[in-house]
Amino acid sequence: MDDAAACVRTVAIRAESQGKGYGRMLMAGLEKFASRQGVERLVVNAARDAVGFYGALGWTVVEAGGENPVLTKELRTGP
């Protein structure tokens, strides 16, 4: 997106594997990698049924309208 922001795209965990912590582990790794690259903010266009998942991980809804709500999360940068 720009020097300080990155977009998260197509995150999915198979239905039979949901609820086992894989999504949380995936997002934690993604956030750690992004912050090490100097990314300060992540943005995602989430499926409506995933908004609760992102909210539980500290994401904030910035645009609730439309088919896919937009959420963002501020990151701490550095090692």
Side-chain angles (χ1 to χ4, degrees):
M1 294 180 65
D2 60 38
D3 289 343
C7 185
V8 177
R9 303 275 314 259
T10 316
V11 176
I13 303 296
R14 295 177 71 122
E16 64 271 13
S17 297
Q18 291 178 2
K20 298 179 181 176
Y22 299 128
R24 286 180 178 275
M25 287 188 284
L26 177 68
M27 294 308 294
L30 176 105
E31 291 172 16
K32 187 174 183 178
F33 175 80
S35 69
R36 286 185 175 167
Q37 305 308 307
V39 173
E40 298 172 6
R41 181 173 52 94
L42 293 173
V43 178
V44 66
N45 290 62
R48 285 213 170 273
D49 62 353
V51 171
F53 167 77
Y54 286 104
L57 297 179
W59 290 69
T60 303
V61 175
V62 292
E63 291 180 31
E67 186 176 333
N68 298 99
V70 178
L71 294 91
T72 187
K73 183 169 185 181
E74 301 296 322
L75 302 177
R76 292 178 25 193
T77 56

